[in-house]
Short mmCIF file of all heavy atoms in Angstrom, two decimals:
data_model
loop_
_atom_site.label_atom_id
_atom_site.label_comp_id
_atom_site.label_asym_id
_atom_site.label_seq_id
_atom_site.Cartn_x
_atom_site.Cartn_y
_atom_site.Cartn_z
N THR A 219 -19.14 31.02 -0.91
CA THR A 219 -18.43 30.18 -1.88
C THR A 219 -19.12 28.83 -1.93
O THR A 219 -19.53 28.28 -0.89
CB THR A 219 -16.95 29.99 -1.51
OG1 THR A 219 -16.88 29.39 -0.22
CG2 THR A 219 -16.19 31.29 -1.52
N ILE A 220 -19.23 28.31 -3.11
CA ILE A 220 -19.89 27.01 -3.29
C ILE A 220 -19.04 25.89 -2.73
O ILE A 220 -19.53 24.98 -2.09
CB ILE A 220 -20.19 26.78 -4.78
CG1 ILE A 220 -21.25 27.78 -5.24
CG2 ILE A 220 -20.67 25.35 -5.02
CD1 ILE A 220 -21.53 27.74 -6.71
N LEU A 221 -17.75 25.96 -2.96
CA LEU A 221 -16.86 24.89 -2.53
C LEU A 221 -15.80 25.48 -1.61
O LEU A 221 -14.98 26.29 -2.02
CB LEU A 221 -16.20 24.22 -3.74
CG LEU A 221 -15.24 23.09 -3.45
CD1 LEU A 221 -15.97 21.93 -2.78
CD2 LEU A 221 -14.60 22.61 -4.72
N ASP A 222 -15.84 25.08 -0.36
CA ASP A 222 -14.84 25.53 0.59
C ASP A 222 -13.79 24.42 0.68
O ASP A 222 -14.06 23.36 1.21
CB ASP A 222 -15.50 25.78 1.94
CG ASP A 222 -14.53 26.39 2.95
OD1 ASP A 222 -13.47 26.87 2.52
OD2 ASP A 222 -14.85 26.37 4.14
N GLN A 223 -12.63 24.66 0.10
CA GLN A 223 -11.60 23.65 0.02
C GLN A 223 -10.85 23.52 1.34
O GLN A 223 -10.42 24.50 1.92
CB GLN A 223 -10.63 24.03 -1.09
CG GLN A 223 -10.20 22.89 -1.90
CD GLN A 223 -9.33 23.37 -3.05
OE1 GLN A 223 -8.95 24.51 -3.14
NE2 GLN A 223 -9.00 22.44 -3.92
N ARG A 224 -10.72 22.30 1.80
CA ARG A 224 -9.90 22.00 2.97
C ARG A 224 -8.79 21.07 2.51
O ARG A 224 -9.04 19.95 2.09
CB ARG A 224 -10.72 21.29 4.05
CG ARG A 224 -11.96 22.01 4.46
CD ARG A 224 -11.65 23.03 5.49
NE ARG A 224 -12.92 23.63 5.88
CZ ARG A 224 -13.00 24.79 6.43
NH1 ARG A 224 -11.93 25.49 6.66
NH2 ARG A 224 -14.16 25.30 6.75
N VAL A 225 -7.58 21.54 2.58
CA VAL A 225 -6.46 20.73 2.13
C VAL A 225 -5.53 20.44 3.30
O VAL A 225 -5.54 21.13 4.30
CB VAL A 225 -5.67 21.42 0.99
CG1 VAL A 225 -6.52 21.59 -0.24
CG2 VAL A 225 -5.12 22.76 1.44
N LEU A 226 -4.75 19.39 3.13
CA LEU A 226 -3.71 19.06 4.10
C LEU A 226 -2.38 19.23 3.36
O LEU A 226 -1.83 18.28 2.82
CB LEU A 226 -3.88 17.61 4.58
CG LEU A 226 -5.20 17.30 5.28
CD1 LEU A 226 -5.34 15.81 5.53
CD2 LEU A 226 -5.31 18.07 6.58
N PRO A 227 -1.87 20.46 3.31
CA PRO A 227 -0.73 20.76 2.44
C PRO A 227 0.64 20.38 3.00
O PRO A 227 1.64 20.52 2.29
CB PRO A 227 -0.82 22.28 2.29
CG PRO A 227 -1.40 22.74 3.58
CD PRO A 227 -2.37 21.65 3.99
N THR A 228 0.71 19.87 4.23
CA THR A 228 2.01 19.53 4.81
C THR A 228 2.75 18.58 3.89
O THR A 228 2.21 17.55 3.48
CB THR A 228 1.83 18.88 6.20
OG1 THR A 228 1.09 19.76 7.02
CG2 THR A 228 3.17 18.55 6.83
N GLN A 229 3.97 18.91 3.57
CA GLN A 229 4.75 18.11 2.64
C GLN A 229 5.36 16.91 3.35
O GLN A 229 6.03 17.05 4.36
CB GLN A 229 5.84 18.98 2.03
CG GLN A 229 6.45 18.39 0.80
CD GLN A 229 7.31 19.41 0.10
OE1 GLN A 229 8.37 19.76 0.60
NE2 GLN A 229 6.84 19.89 -1.03
N ILE A 230 5.10 15.72 2.82
CA ILE A 230 5.66 14.48 3.36
C ILE A 230 6.98 14.19 2.65
O ILE A 230 7.98 13.88 3.28
CB ILE A 230 4.69 13.30 3.20
CG1 ILE A 230 3.32 13.62 3.82
CG2 ILE A 230 5.29 12.01 3.76
CD1 ILE A 230 3.35 13.94 5.30
N TRP A 231 6.96 14.25 1.32
CA TRP A 231 8.21 14.18 0.57
C TRP A 231 8.12 15.04 -0.68
O TRP A 231 7.04 15.30 -1.20
CB TRP A 231 8.64 12.75 0.24
CG TRP A 231 7.86 12.00 -0.80
CD1 TRP A 231 7.78 12.26 -2.14
CD2 TRP A 231 7.09 10.81 -0.60
NE1 TRP A 231 7.01 11.33 -2.77
CE2 TRP A 231 6.57 10.42 -1.85
CE3 TRP A 231 6.80 10.03 0.52
CZ2 TRP A 231 5.79 9.29 -2.02
CZ3 TRP A 231 6.02 8.92 0.34
CH2 TRP A 231 5.51 8.56 -0.90
N HIS A 232 9.29 15.47 -1.11
CA HIS A 232 9.42 16.28 -2.33
C HIS A 232 10.72 15.85 -2.98
O HIS A 232 11.79 16.01 -2.41
CB HIS A 232 9.46 17.77 -1.99
CG HIS A 232 9.81 18.63 -3.16
ND1 HIS A 232 8.93 18.92 -4.17
CD2 HIS A 232 10.98 19.24 -3.49
CE1 HIS A 232 9.54 19.68 -5.07
NE2 HIS A 232 10.78 19.88 -4.68
N VAL A 233 10.61 15.26 -4.15
CA VAL A 233 11.79 14.81 -4.88
C VAL A 233 12.23 15.92 -5.82
O VAL A 233 11.46 16.34 -6.69
CB VAL A 233 11.48 13.51 -5.66
CG1 VAL A 233 12.67 13.08 -6.49
CG2 VAL A 233 11.06 12.41 -4.70
N GLU A 234 13.44 16.41 -5.61
CA GLU A 234 13.94 17.51 -6.44
C GLU A 234 14.71 17.03 -7.65
O GLU A 234 14.75 17.71 -8.67
CB GLU A 234 14.81 18.44 -5.59
CG GLU A 234 14.00 19.22 -4.59
CD GLU A 234 14.82 20.28 -3.87
OE1 GLU A 234 15.83 20.74 -4.44
OE2 GLU A 234 14.44 20.63 -2.75
N SER A 235 15.33 15.87 -7.54
CA SER A 235 16.13 15.32 -8.63
C SER A 235 15.28 15.15 -9.88
O SER A 235 14.18 14.60 -9.83
CB SER A 235 16.69 13.97 -8.21
OG SER A 235 16.94 13.13 -9.30
N GLY A 236 15.81 15.61 -11.00
CA GLY A 236 15.09 15.49 -12.27
C GLY A 236 14.77 14.04 -12.60
O GLY A 236 13.66 13.71 -12.99
N ALA A 237 15.75 13.16 -12.42
CA ALA A 237 15.56 11.74 -12.72
C ALA A 237 14.52 11.13 -11.77
O ALA A 237 13.68 10.33 -12.18
CB ALA A 237 16.88 11.00 -12.62
N GLY A 238 14.59 11.51 -10.51
CA GLY A 238 13.62 11.00 -9.53
C GLY A 238 12.20 11.46 -9.84
O GLY A 238 11.25 10.68 -9.74
N ARG A 239 12.07 12.71 -10.21
CA ARG A 239 10.74 13.25 -10.56
C ARG A 239 10.19 12.54 -11.79
O ARG A 239 9.02 12.17 -11.84
CB ARG A 239 10.80 14.75 -10.79
CG ARG A 239 11.06 15.55 -9.52
CD ARG A 239 10.92 17.03 -9.73
NE ARG A 239 9.52 17.43 -9.89
CZ ARG A 239 8.65 17.56 -8.89
NH1 ARG A 239 9.03 17.30 -7.65
NH2 ARG A 239 7.43 17.95 -9.12
N ILE A 240 11.06 12.33 -12.78
CA ILE A 240 10.62 11.64 -14.00
C ILE A 240 10.22 10.20 -13.68
O ILE A 240 9.20 9.71 -14.16
CB ILE A 240 11.73 11.69 -15.08
CG1 ILE A 240 11.85 13.12 -15.61
CG2 ILE A 240 11.46 10.71 -16.20
CD1 ILE A 240 13.07 13.35 -16.48
N ALA A 241 11.02 9.53 -12.84
CA ALA A 241 10.72 8.14 -12.48
C ALA A 241 9.39 8.03 -11.75
O ALA A 241 8.55 7.18 -12.09
CB ALA A 241 11.85 7.57 -11.61
N LEU A 242 9.15 8.89 -10.76
CA LEU A 242 7.90 8.82 -10.01
C LEU A 242 6.69 9.24 -10.85
O LEU A 242 5.61 8.65 -10.73
CB LEU A 242 7.99 9.65 -8.74
CG LEU A 242 8.85 9.02 -7.65
CD1 LEU A 242 9.12 10.01 -6.53
CD2 LEU A 242 8.19 7.76 -7.11
N THR A 243 6.88 10.21 -11.71
CA THR A 243 5.80 10.59 -12.62
C THR A 243 5.53 9.45 -13.61
O THR A 243 4.38 9.17 -13.95
CB THR A 243 6.14 11.90 -13.36
OG1 THR A 243 6.37 12.92 -12.39
CG2 THR A 243 5.02 12.33 -14.29
N GLY A 244 6.59 8.76 -14.01
CA GLY A 244 6.44 7.58 -14.86
C GLY A 244 5.66 6.48 -14.18
O GLY A 244 4.82 5.81 -14.81
N VAL A 245 5.92 6.27 -12.88
CA VAL A 245 5.16 5.27 -12.11
C VAL A 245 3.67 5.65 -12.09
O VAL A 245 2.80 4.80 -12.27
CB VAL A 245 5.71 5.14 -10.67
CG1 VAL A 245 4.77 4.35 -9.78
CG2 VAL A 245 7.10 4.52 -10.70
N PHE A 246 3.39 6.93 -11.89
CA PHE A 246 2.02 7.44 -11.90
C PHE A 246 1.32 7.09 -13.22
O PHE A 246 0.25 6.48 -13.23
CB PHE A 246 2.04 8.95 -11.68
CG PHE A 246 0.72 9.64 -11.89
CD1 PHE A 246 -0.23 9.66 -10.89
CD2 PHE A 246 0.44 10.29 -13.09
CE1 PHE A 246 -1.45 10.31 -11.08
CE2 PHE A 246 -0.76 10.93 -13.29
CZ PHE A 246 -1.72 10.94 -12.28
N TRP A 247 1.94 7.46 -14.34
CA TRP A 247 1.32 7.22 -15.64
C TRP A 247 1.28 5.74 -16.00
O TRP A 247 0.32 5.26 -16.63
CB TRP A 247 2.00 8.04 -16.73
CG TRP A 247 1.63 9.48 -16.62
CD1 TRP A 247 2.45 10.51 -16.27
CD2 TRP A 247 0.34 10.06 -16.81
NE1 TRP A 247 1.74 11.70 -16.23
CE2 TRP A 247 0.44 11.44 -16.57
CE3 TRP A 247 -0.91 9.54 -17.16
CZ2 TRP A 247 -0.64 12.31 -16.67
CZ3 TRP A 247 -1.99 10.40 -17.27
CH2 TRP A 247 -1.85 11.76 -17.03
#
């Protein structure tokens, strides 16, 4: 394989609330 991906998938936080997800995605954009 050309690219051997090494990720650190451990979840630090996960916001489930729709409003929270929209707010944080809004901060991103």
Side-chain angles (χ1 to χ4, degrees):
T219 59
I220 293 174
L221 180 63
D222 186 15
Q223 221 175 8
R224 306 276 183 202
V225 296
L226 300 171
T228 304
Q229 196 169 71
I230 306 300
W231 72 67
H232 171 76
V233 176
E234 290 188 25
S235 154
R239 291 188 73 77
I240 289 169
L242 286 169
T243 302
V245 168
F246 170 82
W247 287 111

